[in-house]
Each structure stands twice: as structure tokens, then as C-alpha cells.
Amino acid sequence: MFDEAKRMGLVLPGLAPAIPAPARQVAGPSQTPEEIAHSVEEFLRTKFRYTLDIERVSRLDPLQEFLFVRRAGHCEYFAAAMAVMLRTLGVPSRVVNGFQRGEWNPYGQYYIVRYYDAHSWVEAFMPGVGWVTFDPTPRATV
């Protein structure tokens, strides 16, 4: 079952030919899956902008529009872009959806988790370690 998860972590949809090139460029001389994942994570975190205001501005598919035109989006765009970029480089990856943070209620001793705590991030398979978490989404600026 674990090998099946790794195999599925490399499956790609039909991609526009332009998508693998920036992944190779960002990875540069990185050799290990961990180095590659950190390079892609850092690229997305620092060269793109977080926004919830998404408007289609081209006829490109959403991933191409995110990577080449808008260069801005919410966590689902960042996670999908990172997972696809890693897969084109042979690093098994998957998008994970869940919740982060929440607000601690000191009176009831529990966390309050709201819809805006929802988040998407990436797990990439590292040989000898297993699935490791990466979060390419930059923090929102207020």
C-alpha cells in the first residue's frame, strides 16, 4: 500500500509543456528530494503573493495562470503548484487539506477552529524518512 501511495504521488494530469521548465529551473543543482522540495517551497513563498481575491485574467488553465500570469493566489493554488512541480521532478507529492491554528479558549480548555482556519499544504516523500510536510504558501500581509 505504501508503494502504491508513492506511485500515485507521481501521477500527473495532462500538463501544458511550459509547466515543467520552471520546476527544473527552480530546483537548479538540487540533488536530493529534500533539497528539491525546499527549493520549490522557497520559490513559491518568496516570489508569489497570497490573496483571496482571485479573478481569471487569461484563457490559460488555472495552474498556468497562477504560475505565469497572476503569480498570486490562496493556499490551494500554492499547494497544487508545488505538488505538480515536485512530481515533474520525480518527487512523489500530495496535497493535504485540513485546518491549522485555531483559537485557544482558556475558559473551556479547547481550541475553536473556524472555517477560515482551513488550509492546504504539501507532503513530499523523502526516502528513508517517509512523507514530510512543506507549506509553500506565504503568510498573508494585512
Side-chain angles (χ1 to χ4, degrees), residues 1 19 27 31-32 34 38 56-57 61 79 82 92 95 102 123 132 134 139 141:
M1 171 126 168
I19 291 177
Q31 297 297 313
T32 68
E34 185 175 18
H38 281 297
R56 293 295 302 267
V57 294
D61 69 65
M82 182 171 182
V95 173
E123 288 181 346
V132 176
F134 294 89
R139 299 294 163 234
T141 56

Side-chain angles (χ1 to χ4, degrees), residues 8-74:
M8 291 302 296
L10 288 171
V11 173
L12 285 164
L15 291 178
I19 291 177
R24 286 190 302 272
Q25 183 178 2
V26 167
S30 302
Q31 297 297 313
T32 68
E34 185 175 18
E35 291 171 337
I36 292 168
H38 281 297
S39 294
V40 172
E41 178 186 48
E42 183 68 14
F43 169 72
L44 292 169
R45 268 192 185 169
T46 60
K47 304 297 183 193
F48 288 70
R49 182 175 59 81
Y50 180 86
T51 183
L52 292 175
D53 185 23
I54 304 297
E55 182 180 326
R56 293 295 302 267
V57 294
S58 76
R59 298 185 63 99
L60 296 170
D61 69 65
L63 182 57
Q64 286 186 89
E65 185 172 294
F66 172 73
L67 288 172
F68 305 120
V69 178
R70 259 190 295 114
R71 298 180 68 88
H74 50 71

